[in-house]
Amino acid sequence: MFNGLRVLEVATWTLVPAAAAVLADFGADVIKIEHPVRGDPQRGLATGGVAPSLNGVSVTMEQTNRGKRSVGLDISTPEGLALLYRLAEQSDVFMTSFLPDNRAKLGIDVGHIREVNPDIIYVRADAVGRSGPDAGKPGYDMSAFWARGGIAHALTDPAWDHPVRQRPGFGDKTGAMNIAFGVAAALYRRERTGTPTVVDVSLLGTALWVNSSDVVYSKAIGGDFSRKEIKVTNPIGHYYRTADGRWIALLMLESDRWWAPLCRHIGREDLLSDSRFGDAAGRTAHAAECVRELAVTFASATLAEWRERLAPLKGPWEAMLTLPEVLEDPQVVANGYIADVKHPSGQDVTLVRAPVQFDGELPDLRSAPEAAAHTEEVLIELGYSWEEIGQYKECGAIA
């Protein structure tokens, strides 16, 4: 899809790098700029024990930086900045997570990059948005997306003594797909009109979109919808615990369509002749009694037993899986949602593919680069001689 497209990534951590990784999955030549000494600070998450490693390989870096080329470049030096501009001249997209003050200080804001390449698509992503009193405020997904965006509040039981904690990269990975969409739309516009675009994505804006139902419902009722007591009105749109402490999720919104087949598959044909539960209206009026009947039934067998008994029922029900079970889910495997990528160390690293497929084909994923692994290769492509590359190394502009 993006073969022939060059993306220049000047970013750290996850939000922008994950978006660039999606573009790389589909053929873009992504050049990741890293500090020649420190690299992307995300590389330190594994060594610091924050994220796991696989025999010394950072799975965090592999997931969010696969398929790229890494150039070690100190853009705070005049020589390094000049090299960055050379790369920008030959790029289609410039992506950054640097905040406004740093962009201006380093000379990588929109005006600087457009001066060397007027047609480039410029992408900037941040915590809380480009406007407003907090514009330029630093932040990460747990702060800007999870906390400020209201998601932590919506998911935290008021009786708990601490907020529910975000799972790793929730806001970043979601925002990354927004960025990828923005890039694709900007490329389409440029192809049709010749006009380049500045694309803005924030973690806060991403949070509002993800939680837009709660947000607009709260506005509609003039209160906090996440604290509104929602009574069960459809007993077959509910969770039920199994005998071994697992859960079955039913979401049979067309209640009259699924009630009889469900009762037969769970061995409760007697409920079909119960006048209280004869139709959707009756099951709503007697929801508590119906839920109790179903709860007792589902508690009588293990999850494995229920999965076997419900397998012929091609309705909207699912078992609540653990993460190891998700990895082995036949649907996940059959659709290629995960992939084993061969790392240069010789071991396979399991990664999650982007949730988009084109023409039924799965792109081959490539390993993430070591820091500055492609510096010389890229500079040679730009036409620099080995003597010039040596000079840039001596002055500290490159690794």
Side-chain angles (χ1 to χ4, degrees), residues 10 75 81 84-85 94-113 122-127 129-130 135-136 198-201:
V10 182
I75 61 175
L81 185 59
L84 182 76
Y85 288 161
F94 183 94
M95 306 175 69
T96 186
S97 60
F98 285 29
L99 296 174
D101 289 347
N102 280 337
R103 296 198 304 263
K105 178 182 177 181
L106 292 169
I108 60 168
D109 218 339
V110 180
H112 303 109
I113 301 301
Y122 191 96
V123 182
R124 54 195 181 192
D126 63 15
R130 63 181 179 83
V198 176
V199 178
D200 285 292
V201 172

Side-chain angles (χ1 to χ4, degrees), residues 232 235-236 238-241 259 266 268 271 276-277 283 285-300:
V232 176
I236 56 175
H238 197 53
Y239 281 103
Y240 291 95
R241 190 187 289 270
W259 175 245
I266 65 175
R268 291 298 309 270
L271 295 178
R276 296 172 299 172
F277 311 140
R283 290 188 293 277
H286 301 280
E289 300 100 302
C290 191
V291 167
R292 280 196 293 271
E293 293 285 351
L294 294 175
V296 169
T297 300
F298 278 105
S300 67

Side-chain angles (χ1 to χ4, degrees), residues 168-181:
F170 251 42
D172 287 331
K173 303 296 176 51
T174 309
M177 295 307 295
N178 294 341
I179 295 171
F181 160 76

